[in-house]
């Protein structure tokens, strides 16, 4: 470990549960059932955006009862900041071609919409048979670019959230619920 590495404190005591584990389980099950019905008898490829989407993907795919495959992409994140720069960079591309396939992008959260809007255009150039989007969370009032969302888990207000895959400075992805920071969460270490 480098001495310069500043690891923020684990402040789970300064978090408030916003969407419970049970609410997530129920809604993800509904989305899985709906997707299974909509793609019945068809080819389906889930494309998850690393890293925030992995927890959602892992749960969602177990509620999708039809045959499907998964692939991953990675885009640049905000780092430790909580605001989108509007600049998107591909850090890892898909392993497989998607031409002629039914692609369903799996996202954790749509905020400004820049990430998905860019990704969507990029994947459409490869001429999939269809391209849809499922997002667990939709922060609609923050939208700067319009992106068509086909499946939405929960619409949430304009607040920074962590848990269930979503991080702050790479922490809290493992929380089984979605949480909102309380006073003091972002304070410098004392
Ligand atoms: P957008 O490009 O502004 O829509 O940002 C999308 C990405 O920013 C998401 O896939 C997340 O990785 C990240 N993000 C946006 N809002 C939050 C949040 O409230 N908590 C954690 N990550 C977030
Ligand atoms: Mg993401």
């Amino acid at each position: 470990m480098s001495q310069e590495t500043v690891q923020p404190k684990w402040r789970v005591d300064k978090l408030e549960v916003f969407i419970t584990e049970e609410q997530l389980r129920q809604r993800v099950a509904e989305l899985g059932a709906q997707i299974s019905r909509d793609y019945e008898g068809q080819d389906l490829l889930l494309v998850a955006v690393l890293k925030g989407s992995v927890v959602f993907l892992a749960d969602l795919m177990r509620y999708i009862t039809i045959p499907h495959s998964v692939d991953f992409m990675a885009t640049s994140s905000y780092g430790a900041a909580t605001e989108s720069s509007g600049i998107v960079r591909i850090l890892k591309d898909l392993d497989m071609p998607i031409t002629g396939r039914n692609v369903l992008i799996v996202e954790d959260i749509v905020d400004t919409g820049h990430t998905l809007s860019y990704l969507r255009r990029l994947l459409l150039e490869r001429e999939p048979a269809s391209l849809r989007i499922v997002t667990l969370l939709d922060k609609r009032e923050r939208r700067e670019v319009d992106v068509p969302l086909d499946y939405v888990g929960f619409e949430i207000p304009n607040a920074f959230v962590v848990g269930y895959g979503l991080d702050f400075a790479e922490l809290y992805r493992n929380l089984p619920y979605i949480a909102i920071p309380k006073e003091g969460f972002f304070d410098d270490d004392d």
Side-chain angles (χ1 to χ4, degrees):
M1 292 271 175
S2 128
Q3 277 181 306
E4 289 92 69
T5 306
V6 182
Q7 185 72 336
K9 273 188 185 159
W10 176 255
R11 284 186 154 143
V12 78
D13 57 312
K14 298 241 164 37
L15 287 173
E16 194 177 340
V17 178
F18 182 62
I19 305 174
T20 67
E21 201 171 346
E22 180 53 24
Q23 286 174 314
L24 286 167
R25 196 198 60 74
Q26 226 177 4
R27 187 68 188 119
V28 174
E30 284 170 8
L31 290 171
Q34 198 186 341
I35 291 163
S36 304
R37 281 195 302 273
D38 291 355
Y39 288 90
E40 177 85 63
Q42 295 176 58
D43 153 71
L44 173 61
L45 171 67
L46 302 182
V47 167
V49 187
L50 296 171
K51 305 172 207 170
S53 305
V54 295
V55 177
F56 176 41
L57 172 77
D59 282 345
L60 179 69
M61 65 188 289
R62 283 176 288 179
Y63 286 109
I64 297 179
T65 52
I66 58 166
H68 64 277
S69 40
V70 297
D71 205 346
F72 296 93
M73 286 193 92
T75 58
S76 55
S77 68
Y78 306 171
T82 59
E83 293 287 314
S84 180
S85 56
I87 298 161
V88 181
R89 210 154 51 93
I90 299 294
L91 302 178
K92 185 220 168 290
D93 206 337
L94 297 173
D95 291 338
M96 311 276 266
I98 57 164
T99 309
R101 303 206 61 186
N102 292 313
V103 174
L104 179 60
I105 300 177
V106 178
E107 254 290 26
D108 49 359
I109 186 164
V110 187
D111 187 26
T112 64
H114 285 291
T115 309
L116 260 190
S117 168
Y118 176 83
L119 214 63
R120 194 174 162 275
R121 270 181 284 125
L122 183 93
L123 296 185
L124 279 174
E125 281 173 17
R126 301 178 188 181
E127 301 185 336
S130 68
L131 183 65
R132 287 187 190 160
I133 296 168
V134 55
T135 184
L136 179 71
L137 305 175
D138 179 9
K139 257 193 235 179
R140 197 157 298 175
E141 53 187 89
R142 290 260 306 161
R143 206 60 39 82
E144 288 171 14
V145 277
D146 196 39
V147 203
L149 302 178
D150 301 280
Y151 308 94
V152 174
F154 301 88
E155 197 178 321
I156 64 164
N158 177 15
F160 188 77
V161 291
V162 295
Y164 200 71
L166 291 153
D167 75 305
F168 172 65
E170 293 299 327
L171 293 177
Y172 308 104
R173 294 191 196 275
N174 58 314
L175 299 179
Y177 47 84
I178 301 281
I180 292 193
K182 290 192 286 195
E183 213 184 305
F185 180 83
F186 294 108
D187 289 358
D188 290 334
D189 286 353
D190 22 60

